[in-house]
Amino acid sequence: VKGKSYCFRVRSANKYGVSEPSLPSEPITAGTTLAPLPPPSQVLAFRDSKTSVVVHWDKLKEGQEPLGYYIYCREVGTDEWQTVNNKPVTCNKFTVPGLQPGKEYVFCVKSVSEAGVGDSSPESDPIIVRPAISRPSAPRDFALLSCGKNDMTIGWKAPKHKGGGKILGYFLDQHDAVELGWHEVNIRPIVTNLNEGHFYEFRACATNMAGVGKVSEPSDLFKCEEWTMPQPGPPYDVRFTEVRDANLMLHWEAPLYTGTGPVTGYYIDVCEEGSEEWKQLNKQPTASTHMRVSDLETGKCYIFRVRALNKAGIGPPSIPSDPVVVETKPGTNEIELGVDKEGFVYMAFETPDMCDSSEFIWSKDYEGPPDPNRVKIEDKGNKSKIILKNASEKDLGTYSVEVTDIDDEISASHTLTQEATFPLLPVIELISGWNIDVLEKGEVRLWLEVEKLSPEAELHLIFNGKELSSTPVRINFDRANGLIELIIQDFCDDDKGTYTAQLQDGKAKNQFTLALVDDTRLVFCFLFLLVGPHFIENLQWKVTEDCEVLLTCKVSITIQLLLCIVPSIYSLSAKPLKVQPTAEGIRIYSEVKYYTDYMKTTWYHKYVLQIKSGERLKSGSTMDQIWLHILNPTDSDKGKYTLEIFDGKDSHRLSTDLSGKGELEQNISVLGKNRARVVQGLPDVATIMEDKTLCLTCCISGDPYPEITWFKNEKVVVFKDRYKMDVKGIVVTITIEKVCSDDTGKYSIYVKNKYGSETGQVTISVYKHGEEPLELREK
């Protein structure tokens, strides 16, 4: 009855009877509507670790006691809110786990009462997921770098743990062995006003934004005695970057004391951790202060040291480097090479970890920053991009990048080569390569045709390394029709050499070269002979067994006949088409004596379909073959294939029929039967409580047996410590021991052999003790 108050109680029943009643509920009036509680206020987010954030909010006023709170998070730049906790929390602080390092998030909180979930609180300020700043650890490994009568130069290693911020400086203390107390020196590494012959020890502490860190252990005792030895002093600051499987990049600083002459080189020594046996790596000294160390054993831990050399001999070794395990760490990123929308070549690097003071330090050939006149560097968030303003041969070399002020070494490098870089640039397409015509009065016309160009297009003609002008030759550049021609008067032996047309139209570039020399251009032989006032004998030619054309003449003859002879003879030398099965598909080819640019080739399928090179159909030629490669053939590839060769006058056709009963059907069957596959076993989602052991099993197939790679969030999984993989025949098992929130993510198994590849995926969700997910409760 509306308006009346009621109490309720409950009794349980089973087949044996009915239980005693429960305690009665509080009185409740029928017909009243419960109002939801207001949202919390002052939602603040604080850094915690590289994968978590602490969220704090103000509790509701007295008399408004909620059942708990729900916390929600959203990555900046997206619209989707995600619930953080599976059940309401009763306190006003919560640590949000499982966040992506370096990503930016906002948070909000909702109150929960008998009336349900209330409205959302105002959003917190955006916060980047990074570890909280703390004071640095102590410096270590002090070394005497140089010594005078009354002064010393001291070096030390930076703290292993920088506390998530930039090291702002150091405080250095000294202690004379004959005294009792320690004395503060200064923050400079050069210590003055010392007593000659006394022994001193030193200690230091580092400071960052969070404060002054721990004081180091005292150094060894160093004697204040002027160095006079002829050999150089020890190098210092031996460190490593680009640690990958089996190799790394080693760096060091030149010694401060050079002895009786300049340092001429360095020797690098290595030993395994736990061993005292040092081995010299380089037989000949290296002149630079860096060296790539290769052929190391993946997974082993090494220590390095460096010795300097001058004309007097080899000096003492440096302080050994920190130990380093030579392997590619999970989540390691490499430099990405590409071309942006404006046509500029760029290299980009994204770091998985950084702090507020971190910087990207780019270097070219490990000698210092790239030339600012040739590159532009853009940093945004945890990504840095170096853009080549006008890519050319001057920009070739090795570019490296390091991330500063973090505890873990993060670095990468990429070598720009001409073969890998310039094909990325937009190019001016060639329509017809260099052609040669003989005109009257001994003039020779060199010309080529490209796509239509804009009025702003530029041309540079280079002959034997020097740019040509309009005199004494005539140059015609028809941009609208893409025609370039060069007319040489009184053609003679001095005009032999290399001609290069360099073109640029906006960002698009290209260059085309013609070599007019006896051994590379058969046409040049008779062109040179034809120049002259008269000839005595008729032109004669013959073809040798090696398909070489020999021309002799002592009378004039039309050049058109000569130009047709060479391609015609080579076209007629083409042999019938052959079919060759390959691991990837089918290869159709014709053997020729010699392939030249004059021969125009076209492939047809079923007579009417002109074949163009693409991802699955690739055509090309070598000096002695013209070929078509069909990758991953299917039934639609059956039928007749025709190769048409046009020599400038006549067309020659060669055909073969892929009926499906021979190589094609066989290859389709082999590819389908033998390609690598993930057969069965992986679920879509695997949900598990933290600290448990997760075991996932799937079956694979393929002949030859596939290569197996596991990925977590698209990064290669390295199986060690908690991660293990077991392969027994076709059964592949991955085991993760003591799972934690960091193990949440999308996992995939990638199998590959020469006939193909396939990927199987599973999403792993890890929940905390006592926070059973809704989907498990429903099950």
Side-chain angles (χ1 to χ4, degrees):
V1 176
K2 185 177 180 179
K4 288 190 176 182
S5 295
Y6 294 88
C7 295
F8 297 87
R9 68 182 188 182
V10 182
R11 292 175 291 159
S12 301
N14 64 11
K15 66 180 180 179
Y16 298 109
V18 180
S19 70
E20 293 294 324
S22 68
L23 293 176
S25 69
E26 295 294 327
I28 185 170
T29 303
T32 58
T33 301
L34 295 176
L37 293 176
S41 60
Q42 292 294 321
V43 179
L44 304 174
F46 303 94
R47 288 179 181 165
D48 181 52
S49 72
K50 64 179 181 181
T51 59
S52 62
V53 164
V54 176
V55 179
H56 182 278
W57 60 92
D58 287 348
K59 287 187 174 182
L60 299 181
K61 298 178 181 178
E62 292 185 8
Q64 296 179 331
E65 297 297 331
L67 298 177
Y69 301 94
Y70 278 121
I71 300 96
Y72 302 85
C73 74
R74 175 177 62 83
E75 186 179 340
V76 174
T78 64
D79 298 325
E80 183 180 354
W81 287 91
Q82 296 182 350
T83 307
V84 172
N85 48 326
N86 292 320
K87 63 180 182 180
V89 296
T90 55
C91 59
N92 63 330
K93 185 174 74 170
F94 188 80
T95 301
V96 181
L99 302 177
Q100 292 294 320
K103 300 290 186 180
E104 194 172 18
Y105 294 87
V106 293
F107 301 88
C108 69
V109 183
K110 297 181 180 180
S111 304
V112 182
S113 66
E114 291 86 349
V117 180
D119 293 333
S120 175
S121 70
E123 296 180 8
S124 69
D125 291 334
I127 186 171
I128 299 176
V129 182
R130 289 174 184 159
I133 297 178
S134 60
R135 293 186 296 176
S137 60
R140 60 229 159 78
D141 293 348
F142 287 78
L144 180 59
L145 303 181
S146 180
C147 190
K149 289 183 178 180
N150 304 108
D151 59 82
M152 293 178 174
T153 303
I154 306 297
W156 56 84
K157 290 182 182 177
K160 284 187 177 180
H161 304 290
K162 299 176 178 61
K166 187 181 186 64
I167 299 296
L168 301 177
Y170 296 89
F171 294 99
L172 180 65
D173 298 335
Q174 76 179 44
H175 173 230
D176 191 328
V178 300
E179 299 177 353
L180 295 177
W182 287 84
H183 305 285
E184 181 178 326
V185 183
N186 50 32
I187 59 173
R188 298 178 65 235
I190 301 176
V191 185
T192 57
N193 299 322
L194 302 177
N195 295 318
E196 186 177 9
H198 284 221
F199 287 85
Y200 293 88
E201 58 182 345
F202 300 89
R203 67 186 185 189
C205 56
T207 179
N208 64 6
M209 290 181 62
V212 179
K214 293 182 179 180
V215 177
S216 68
E217 295 293 327
S219 68
D220 293 336
L221 287 169
F222 300 132
K223 185 177 182 180
C224 185
E225 184 177 46
E226 184 175 10
W227 284 2
T228 58
M229 68 269 198
Q231 298 85 3
Y236 65 100
D237 195 17
V238 181
R239 61 188 185 90
F240 39 80
T241 61
E242 302 171 37
V243 181
R244 303 293 188 269
D245 289 345
N247 71 92
L248 54 78
M249 198 71 194
L250 198 67
H251 307 259
W252 59 89
E253 296 294 331
L256 300 180
Y257 178 81
T258 59
T260 57
V263 174
T264 56
Y266 300 91
Y267 288 105
I268 291 85
D269 301 330
V270 63
C271 78
E272 293 185 25
E273 187 181 29
S275 171
E276 296 182 356
E277 182 182 356
W278 290 92
K279 298 179 181 178
Q280 183 175 302
L281 284 176
N282 52 328
K283 294 181 180 180
Q284 298 297 326
T286 178
S288 61
T289 55
H290 58 268
M291 190 179 84
R292 183 166 295 281
V293 182
S294 305
D295 299 327
L296 300 172
E297 190 171 339
T298 301
K300 281 197 173 182
C301 187
Y302 294 92
I303 301 173
F304 300 89
R305 70 182 187 186
V306 182
R307 294 171 294 149
L309 171 74
N310 66 8
K311 64 181 181 180
I314 302 174
S318 66
I319 291 290
S321 70
D322 289 334
V324 56
V325 178
V326 183
E327 64 182 8
T328 304
K329 293 182 180 179
T332 297
N333 292 340
E334 301 296 348
I335 292 176
E336 169 196 353
L337 176 65
V339 176
D340 60 22
K341 295 180 180 179
E342 287 74 32
F344 291 104
V345 175
Y346 70 84
M347 287 167 285
F349 180 75
E350 185 173 2
T351 174
D353 189 18
M354 64 187 305
C355 63
D356 289 336
S357 62
S358 291
E359 295 179 331
F360 294 92
I361 305 299
W362 287 90
S363 176
K364 184 164 188 280
D365 296 325
Y366 304 100
E367 299 294 343
D371 184 355
N373 295 322
R374 302 202 58 81
V375 304
K376 179 174 68 171
I377 298 177
E378 295 179 352
D379 295 340
K380 185 177 181 181
N382 62 341
K383 193 170 186 178
S384 180
K385 181 186 290 186
I386 183 169
I387 303 170
L388 305 185
K389 296 179 180 179
N390 188 17
S392 70
E393 288 83 354
K394 296 180 181 179
D395 299 302
L396 301 180
T398 299
Y399 292 79
S400 59
V401 61
E402 297 181 47
V403 182
T404 65
D405 301 338
I406 54 176
D407 294 336
D408 295 329
E409 185 274 328
I410 296 179
S411 58
S413 68
H414 184 87
T415 300
L416 281 186
T417 61
Q418 187 164 358
E419 295 79 8
T421 305
F422 294 123
L424 298 173
L425 295 170
V427 297
I428 297 172
E429 296 294 337
L430 177 67
I431 296 177
S432 175
W434 279 107
N435 297 274
I436 307 170
D437 293 339
V438 175
L439 307 179
E440 296 178 356
K441 301 178 182 179
E443 291 183 338
V444 173
R445 175 178 177 251
L446 310 178
W447 62 277
L448 63 85
E449 186 180 2
V450 298
E451 61 181 315
K452 294 181 180 180
L453 302 173
S454 71
E456 290 75 26
E458 298 179 3
L459 167 68
H460 297 279
L461 276 171
I462 311 297
F463 172 62
N464 290 343
K466 295 182 179 180
E467 185 166 359
L468 292 174
S469 61
S470 296
T471 55
V473 299
R474 298 201 309 268
I475 299 173
N476 177 34
F477 184 23
D478 185 353
R479 295 174 175 82
N481 296 311
L483 179 65
I484 301 163
E485 62 178 357
L486 173 67
I487 298 175
I488 307 172
Q489 299 176 350
D490 300 325
F491 190 85
C492 64
D493 193 56
D494 292 339
D495 296 309
K496 291 193 299 182
T498 302
Y499 294 81
T500 300
Q502 296 179 346
L503 289 165
Q504 180 166 355
D505 193 4
K507 300 301 178 185
K509 298 179 180 179
N510 214 336
Q511 67 177 31
F512 310 98
T513 299
L514 167 69
L516 276 182
V517 292
D518 297 333
D519 56 348
T520 62
R521 231 19 182 179
L522 292 175
V523 179
F524 176 80
C525 297
F526 57 78
L527 284 178
F528 185 76
L529 289 172
L530 285 173
V531 178
H534 66 277
F535 298 97
I536 300 172
E537 297 179 1
N538 291 332
L539 175 71
Q540 297 178 357
W541 61 273
K542 65 177 180 179
V543 183
T544 68
E545 293 181 355
D546 296 329
C547 208
E548 294 178 341
V549 179
L550 299 180
L551 296 169
T552 59
C553 63
K554 291 188 178 180
V555 294
S556 59
I557 189 170
T558 58
I559 192 66
Q560 287 80 2
L561 172 62
L562 294 173
L563 291 177
C564 292
I565 290 174
V566 177
S568 178
I569 293 171
Y570 289 146
S571 300
L572 292 173
S573 74
K575 295 184 179 180
L577 291 178
K578 295 182 180 180
V579 179
Q580 176 188 23
T582 69
E584 296 82 13
I586 293 176
R587 192 170 184 268
I588 307 173
Y589 67 94
S590 171
E591 296 178 345
V592 294
K593 284 289 186 180
Y594 185 75
Y595 180 81
T596 73
D597 294 337
Y598 291 101
M599 299 164 63
K600 307 298 181 184
T601 60
T602 308
W603 287 92
Y604 294 92
H605 183 207
K606 298 177 182 178
Y607 296 108
V608 295
L609 298 178
Q610 182 174 343
I611 297 175
K612 296 183 179 180
S613 289
E615 292 184 358
R616 217 171 56 79
L617 297 173
K618 299 184 181 296
S619 61
S621 60
T622 62
M623 292 287 288
D624 55 2
Q625 273 192 6
I626 305 169
W627 53 264
L628 173 70
H629 202 175
I630 307 172
L631 306 179
N632 297 324
T634 63
D635 287 336
S636 63
D637 295 312
K638 296 177 181 178
K640 194 167 186 176
Y641 287 82
T642 301
L643 168 62
E644 181 182 80
I645 305 174
F646 181 68
D647 59 23
K649 181 179 180 182
D650 300 315
S651 293
H652 307 275
R653 288 176 172 253
L654 302 171
S655 298
T656 187
D657 188 17
L658 294 185
S659 63
K661 296 180 180 179
E663 292 85 354
L664 178 64
E665 191 172 87
Q666 178 185 354
N667 276 46
I668 293 174
S669 174
V670 169
L671 289 170
K673 180 180 178 181
N674 297 337
R675 71 184 293 261
R677 294 182 183 275
V678 180
V679 181
Q680 60 183 11
L682 289 179
D684 293 332
V685 179
T687 305
I688 187 171
M689 187 170 66
E690 63 180 3
D691 294 333
K692 298 290 186 180
T693 297
L694 176 66
C695 184
L696 295 173
T697 299
C698 66
C699 296
I700 64 174
S701 66
D703 185 17
Y705 195 84
E707 300 176 6
I708 304 171
T709 308
W710 281 88
F711 295 87
K712 175 189 174 185
N713 295 332
E714 300 181 356
K715 301 295 176 68
V716 176
V717 175
V718 178
F719 288 95
K720 67 172 191 175
D721 301 332
R722 296 187 300 111
Y723 284 72
K724 295 178 175 58
M725 183 175 70
D726 182 48
V727 180
K728 294 182 178 178
I730 65 170
V731 180
V732 180
T733 303
I734 178 176
T735 304
I736 307 176
E737 299 175 348
K738 293 184 178 180
V739 296
C740 59
S741 58
D742 289 345
D743 298 319
T744 297
K746 182 178 291 184
Y747 291 72
S748 57
I749 178 174
Y750 175 74
V751 293
K752 176 185 177 182
N753 64 11
K754 67 179 183 179
Y755 296 116
S757 61
E758 192 169 279
T759 301
Q761 293 184 340
V762 56
T763 299
I764 297 178
S765 176
V766 181
Y767 62 93
K768 291 183 175 294
H769 294 275
E771 297 181 359
E772 188 177 16
L774 177 61
E775 58 267 23
L776 288 186
R777 294 202 304 270
E778 290 176 348
K779 289 181 181 180

